[in-house]
Amino acid sequence: MAENIVLIGFMGVGKGAIARELVRQTDLFALDTDDLIESMENRKIKKIFKEEGEEYFRKLEQKCANWLCKNVSSSIISTGGGFYKVENLEKIGTIILLDASFDWIYNRIVNAENAQKKLKKRPLFNSYDQAKALYDSRQKAYKKAAKTVIDVENSSPEEAVKTILKSL
Ligand code: S3P
């Protein structure tokens, strides 16, 4: 089975955008773990957090990881910002970290056309300070989990994807 390309990184770093660019530059299809969880649960991430709490959501991420590991190959997989914590992450595929400074990520979200929507759907992005603390607490672990780190702050999505494909 050919390996999947697994994109990890903080909320708002552009995992979806890079996955779409990867689709454009390859003949692969893309899956997103948040989308898989929402369709499995038939409710939005925000609702799952509100009604069941974060711990329940993390269990769903693990269930999703187990399923991907067993059943999916040759695909691009973008993940939620906390998915890097699942057990056996490296068994799903080649782990690529999309990296950028917190301020770049923050500005990318608040300057987006649909900024309110982007903020509203992310229960762990309530304020600059709260999100920055979460970002800081994850930096080391993100880097440890990744085979390759891609600086998305200083390259266009096209360039970032070319670098990803070369690194495989
Ligand atoms: C989370 C990131 C979100 C989503 C959930 C939790 C996190 O995904 O999975 O709100 O813990 O960082 P995005 O990274 O796509 O925003």
Side-chain angles (χ1 to χ4, degrees):
M1 283 217 300
E3 284 221 332
N4 298 302
I5 302 172
V6 183
L7 303 176
I8 64 167
F10 200 67
M11 291 176 268
V13 76
K15 290 163 290 188
I18 296 290
R20 284 189 291 280
E21 182 58 28
L22 271 163
V23 167
R24 223 177 55 79
Q25 291 192 33
T26 64
D27 58 356
L28 304 178
F29 272 76
L31 294 170
D32 179 84
T33 59
D34 282 347
D35 290 348
L36 289 168
I37 288 171
E38 285 187 344
S39 61
M40 177 168 71
E41 284 279 302
N42 196 25
R43 49 185 167 167
K44 297 283 181 195
I45 302 289
K46 200 183 167 204
K47 213 162 181 219
I48 300 173
F49 265 75
K50 198 168 165 219
E51 293 177 352
E52 317 287 349
E54 181 172 349
E55 203 180 313
Y56 178 86
F57 175 74
R58 299 301 173 200
K59 286 197 178 123
L60 295 177
E61 287 193 311
Q62 187 61 58
K63 189 171 171 187
C64 180
N66 298 346
W67 178 80
L68 289 167
C69 201
K70 249 184 159 172
N71 300 294
V72 177
S73 63
S74 307
S75 300
I76 296 150
I77 301 171
S78 55
T79 65
F83 194 83
Y84 73 99
K85 276 195 203 152
V86 297
E87 276 171 32
N88 299 335
L89 177 72
E90 70 290 344
K91 291 207 178 129
I92 301 172
T94 305
I95 312 300
I96 310 283
L97 171 65
L98 305 185
D99 189 37
S101 67
F102 181 75
D103 281 348
W104 183 84
I105 291 173
Y106 183 79
N107 286 323
R108 184 175 181 273
I109 292 187
V110 297
N111 294 327
E113 221 173 85
N114 51 351
Q116 280 316 314
K117 196 175 154 213
K118 280 184 181 286
L119 284 167
K120 248 176 130 182
K121 73 171 193 181
R122 295 186 161 103
L124 299 180
F125 213 114
N126 281 324
S127 70
Y128 178 97
D129 289 345
Q130 184 211 25
K132 169 88 166 71
L134 187 61
Y135 171 94
D136 287 341
S137 74
R138 285 179 175 174
Q139 279 314 97
K140 252 196 197 156
Y142 275 145
K143 291 195 170 127
K144 200 166 167 220
K147 177 183 172 244
T148 307
V149 180
I150 302 290
D151 175 4
V152 291
E153 182 167 345
N154 296 300
S155 52
S156 66
E158 292 80 6
E159 287 163 348
V161 163
K162 288 209 165 74
T163 314
I164 292 171
L165 294 174
K166 260 193 234 152
S167 78
L168 296 175

